[in-house]
Amino acid sequence: MCGIVAYIGSNPAVPLLLEGLKRMEYRGYDSAGVAVLNGELQVVKTVGRVSVLEDRLQEKPPEGSVGIGHTRWATHGDTTERNAHPHTDDRNGIAIIHNGTIENYASLKTALQERGHKFDSETDTEVIAMLISEFYDGDLEKAVQAALREVRGAYAIAVLCENEPDTLVVARKGSPLIIGVGASEFVVASDPTAIVAHTTQAFELDDYQVCKLTREGFRTSTLDDVSVTPKIQQLELDLEQIELGSYDTFMMKEIFEQPRSLSTTMRGRLDKRDGKVVLGGIGPYARELVRARQFLMTGQGTAYHAALIGEYLLEDLAKIPAKTEYASEFRYRNPIIVDGTVIVAVSQSGETADTLAALREASDRGALSIGVVNVVGSSIARETDAGVYLRVGPEIGVASTKAFTGQVLTLMMLSLFMARRKFMSVDTCQHLIEELDQVPSYIERILESDDQIRTVTEKYVNQENWLFLGRGYNYPVALEGALKLKEISYIHAEGMPAAEMKHGPIALITDGMPVVFIANQGPQYDKVMLNIEQVKSRGGRIIAVATEGDTEIRKHADDVFFVPPISDPLSPLLTVIPLQLLACHAAMLRGHDVDKPRNLAKSVTVE
Ligand code: M6R
């Protein structure tokens, strides 16, 4: 995905665009660029981080108070200046920035080439620029509407035209776009983080809507030019949430935020006295959910790991058949959706292309859809029948941390919501709610071991191959620990069920290889200890995540991270924390940019 920002007002556009791009850099950071209108169109693009663009702009900053800016995560074409946005047409002085992918760009491009257009880049975005240009006859808004009627795919775009120096036109379909409304000025962005420093009044465009902005006001319309009136709302975001404060990285900030973010996830939803869970977003569907015959859990990456834990929780606590599948697999394999199926789409961003497609596939086949999503108003949140928001606040680090615990906790609450309507007693539910109440303070306690976790990480940080092993509820935590390590430290790591190790991967174990075991005192503790011995006897170095008070574990493990005792179904909320810290320290010790790991972007809106 990419980040887009646009401005029209009376202030210089460039500083504002750069600030917005920096805030949205987590959305993509291969290349960046701006276009500013000031009599003529001035376009500056660079390869690399926004700071490279900033340096280039300092040489000769374009002046003007209407502009667009973009930070790119490459989908069509290499990371080059030519492929960086903004893209321009070859006839009318039109410049465009785009987030999304155009599915029919190849056929459109061929037709445009046949009509004499000369393309400079390999991108799908340049095709939209040319198409708008073809339709342009003095009215940019109309030309954008006409061009978008020809386009298939996803887009959030912002467009400028030299002939209309006081106009900015934006549009969306399937990619987020928010319009911040100030006093005689507008800031448009794919993300509220780029807007909130300037105004907290904003509205979102719906799919297939276009908005023409001038300093005097705006007009919103459909692609067929029917006027629509959007609802301006207060942005629920404050600057503190999106700034580093005293932390060096957003990932570390977000790891340390978890006691607070999880308290917010739970606030007002757990009724200890009556032993029940109140989830407003799914309340109206309670009867349908209770009658459901199976739950399908889906997501990608970290969200998939959380979904797996959700599967265990639903079967264990609510006694409902559940299974989890990668959204990317589910969407293409002609799945059977029996009557009474509920699909649960788990996603931080709510924009992941595969998860969205899986959700649509299941809904088309008759499933009731539930979203477990963080970003309010995101595509998955909009398209599901009902849902529960994570409420963990904006997650900016590319490596997901507080969203993972938010997802697990939300799925725990969903399971209790179901369980109490089926077989769970008030007492059992009350007990689990009491334990959930303790989770924030337990996490505080684990975070106090940050120095110890850093010291242990230093010992192993030069090892290039790691294994992460766990059983039961902590098997997905092993997967998550391995993903965290590999995505930001570039160390090769595999996660798997501890018992699976014997069926092949044990051959990898060599003298000194770090093997992380999640060895909390749950029902499979003894089995995990056996697996630890199997690794140890082959020279592996054992790093264990264990339960406070476990004196035995020290005899078996080289290093131990302790977590407070808690019921097994809740344990992933604690056992994952040392693994997040370990990955973050490993990446920092190896000198990597923790928040912007190579090749990644915060949300994957392409297949
Ligand atoms: O926004 P989503 O939760 O749908 O994103 C899913 C994955 O792309 C995401 O969790 C990814 O695996 C993260 N980089 C993990 O840290």
Side-chain angles (χ1 to χ4, degrees):
M1 80 176 173
C2 308
I4 71 175
V5 58
Y7 176 74
I8 182 163
S10 50
N11 291 309
V14 165
L16 189 142
L17 296 177
L18 277 174
E19 184 218 310
L21 291 181
K22 280 192 214 152
R23 289 201 193 277
M24 289 188 299
E25 207 173 5
Y26 72 104
R27 297 179 71 98
Y29 35 85
D30 295 341
S31 54
V34 296
V36 178
L37 266 181
N38 189 13
E40 58 175 16
L41 198 59
Q42 308 155 79
V43 180
V44 182
K45 312 199 264 194
T46 52
V47 170
R49 301 285 162 89
V50 174
S51 58
V52 181
L53 176 70
E54 189 172 25
D55 290 344
R56 176 82 63 81
L57 286 168
Q58 263 164 12
E59 292 163 18
K60 192 171 168 266
E63 288 177 8
S65 51
V66 185
I68 55 182
H70 189 271
T71 174
R72 176 171 187 246
W73 186 72
T75 57
H76 292 77
D78 299 344
T79 308
T80 58
E81 261 180 44
R82 278 192 318 122
N83 288 333
H85 300 214
H87 288 284
T88 50
D89 76 318
D90 54 355
R91 294 179 187 170
N92 286 306
I94 286 169
I96 179 171
I97 49 172
H98 167 219
N99 176 22
T101 33
I102 302 305
E103 285 158 17
N104 59 339
Y105 87 101
S107 57
L108 289 172
K109 187 169 181 172
T110 308
L112 286 159
Q113 281 168 327
E114 280 165 9
R115 296 200 288 274
H117 288 277
K118 297 268 176 294
F119 284 81
D120 193 37
S121 79
E122 300 147 85
T123 65
D124 52 347
T125 306
E126 196 181 10
V127 171
I128 320 179
M130 300 293 187
L131 207 54
I132 295 172
S133 186
E134 283 236 322
F135 286 106
Y136 187 73
D137 65 358
D139 188 333
L140 184 62
E141 182 190 22
K142 295 250 174 346
V144 169
Q145 290 166 339
L148 294 180
R149 288 198 292 266
E150 309 277 311
V151 156
R152 277 204 322 274
Y155 55 78
I157 58 169
V159 192
L160 300 177
C161 177
E162 238 168 32
N163 299 338
E164 298 182 42
D166 301 311
T167 301
L168 167 67
V169 177
V170 301
R172 92 160 245 182
K173 195 249 145 174
S175 292
L177 195 74
I178 301 155
I179 300 174
V181 182
S184 305
E185 65 174 7
F186 297 93
V187 187
V188 183
S190 41
D191 195 313
T193 55
I195 295 176
V196 75
H198 306 282
T199 175
T200 54
Q201 295 294 300
F203 65 92
E204 280 191 58
L205 286 187
D206 277 336
D207 282 350
Y208 302 109
Q209 286 185 352
V210 174
C211 185
K212 174 181 174 175
L213 302 145
T214 65
R215 291 180 188 85
E216 286 72 46
F218 66 90
R219 173 179 182 260
T220 306
S221 60
T222 64
L223 295 188
D224 297 316
D225 202 33
V226 177
S227 292
V228 283
T229 310
K231 197 163 148 217
I232 298 179
Q233 286 177 318
Q234 179 79 12
L235 283 178
E236 299 294 336
L237 183 67
D238 58 54
L239 270 180
E240 194 213 332
Q241 287 179 291
I242 54 168
E243 289 189 335
L244 276 172
S246 57
Y247 291 93
D248 293 331
T249 66
F250 279 106
M251 182 177 178
M252 199 52 105
K253 179 182 181 228
E254 286 157 9
I255 292 173
F256 273 80
E257 253 172 40
Q258 289 174 104
R260 192 153 49 105
S261 63
L262 295 183
S263 299
T264 313
T265 305
M266 287 187 280
R267 188 163 304 131
R269 289 168 160 177
L270 300 178
D271 180 343
K272 209 180 332 178
R273 214 187 48 160
D274 289 349
K276 64 177 191 189
V277 172
V278 184
L279 297 173
I282 56 169
Y285 289 87
R287 288 164 68 90
E288 224 171 308
L289 288 168
V290 170
R291 285 198 296 260
R293 287 171 57 194
Q294 66 161 346
F295 271 56
L296 296 178
M297 322 293 294
T298 197
Q300 293 291 142
T302 288
Y304 170 81
H305 302 154
L308 259 180
I309 296 173
E311 169 192 321
Y312 286 29
L313 288 166
L314 279 163
E315 293 212 339
D316 186 12
L317 303 181
K319 313 291 178 219
I320 296 173
K323 68 178 184 195
T324 309
E325 201 171 333
Y326 282 112
S328 54
E329 290 300 310
F330 178 86
R331 64 181 289 193
Y332 287 122
R333 72 168 180 83
N334 201 12
I336 295 170
I337 302 290
V338 294
D339 270 1
T341 298
V342 176
I343 177 124
V344 180
V346 183
S347 174
Q348 187 287 129
S349 63
E351 302 293 344
T352 299
D354 284 319
T355 310
L356 191 54
L359 161 72
R360 287 176 181 155
E361 188 64 36
S363 300
D364 286 351
R365 292 172 185 232
L368 175 73
S369 59
I370 302 290
V372 171
V373 170
N374 193 35
V375 178
V376 176
S378 56
S379 301
I380 294 176
R382 284 163 178 244
E383 290 199 25
T384 35
D385 294 309
V388 189
Y389 280 119
L390 307 183
R391 296 192 195 152
V392 297
E395 189 180 64
I396 293 174
V398 167
S400 191
T401 53
K402 64 175 179 173
F404 174 75
T405 47
Q407 286 159 350
V408 172
L409 178 54
T410 303
L411 290 165
M412 175 79 196
M413 293 191 297
L414 174 67
S415 304
L416 290 179
F417 178 92
M418 302 290 301
R420 273 290 286 119
R421 285 168 170 77
K422 291 173 85 78
F423 312 103
M424 186 179 273
S425 68
V426 178
D427 286 359
T428 309
C429 191
Q430 277 171 332
H431 171 70
L432 287 168
I433 290 177
E434 270 160 27
E435 284 200 286
L436 279 174
D437 255 359
Q438 298 300 314
V439 164
S441 62
Y442 286 169
I443 295 180
E444 298 273 11
R445 217 148 91 197
I446 301 167
L447 292 171
E448 283 166 18
S449 352
D450 182 38
D451 286 345
Q452 182 233 344
I453 294 173
R454 185 178 196 282
T455 309
V456 171
T457 312
E458 274 169 11
K459 275 169 59 179
Y460 302 101
V461 76
N462 293 322
Q463 296 287 334
E464 294 301 334
N465 287 299
W466 293 50
L467 277 183
F468 286 73
L469 303 173
R471 284 171 174 260
Y473 281 109
N474 283 293
Y475 148 53
V477 173
L479 297 181
E480 177 60 6
L483 174 61
K484 283 293 87 85
L485 189 66
K486 67 184 135 192
E487 72 176 323
I488 54 170
S489 72
Y490 319 143
I491 292 171
H492 176 243
E494 296 293 334
M496 66 193 72
E500 179 63 15
M501 178 247 331
K502 299 189 297 296
H503 299 276
I506 196 165
L508 293 171
I509 294 170
T510 50
D511 224 19
M513 177 178 177
V515 181
V516 180
F517 276 92
I518 297 105
N520 61 311
Q521 277 172 333
Q524 302 203 55
Y525 177 76
D526 292 343
K527 307 280 179 226
V528 174
M529 295 303 270
L530 276 177
N531 298 139
I532 288 181
E533 285 314 308
Q534 289 154 355
V535 171
K536 230 173 128 66
S537 58
R538 286 159 182 88
R541 302 286 297 274
I542 311 296
I543 304 166
V545 177
T547 307
E548 285 172 5
D550 180 352
T551 47
E552 194 57 23
I553 191 77
R554 287 224 185 265
K555 298 180 197 150
H556 303 269
D558 295 274
D559 292 284
V560 186
F561 305 139
F562 284 107
V563 300
I566 197 160
S567 296
D568 201 42
L570 276 57
S571 63
L573 291 168
L574 307 187
T575 53
V576 76
I577 308 292
L579 306 187
Q580 296 172 341
L581 287 169
L582 181 143
C584 195
H585 285 306
M588 290 195 291
L589 288 163
R590 287 168 78 111
H592 299 310
D593 184 340
V594 171
D595 288 333
K596 299 184 195 72
R598 105 185 142 206
N599 304 337
L600 292 184
K602 181 64 184 160
S603 111
V604 184
T605 51
V606 291
E607 283 194 53

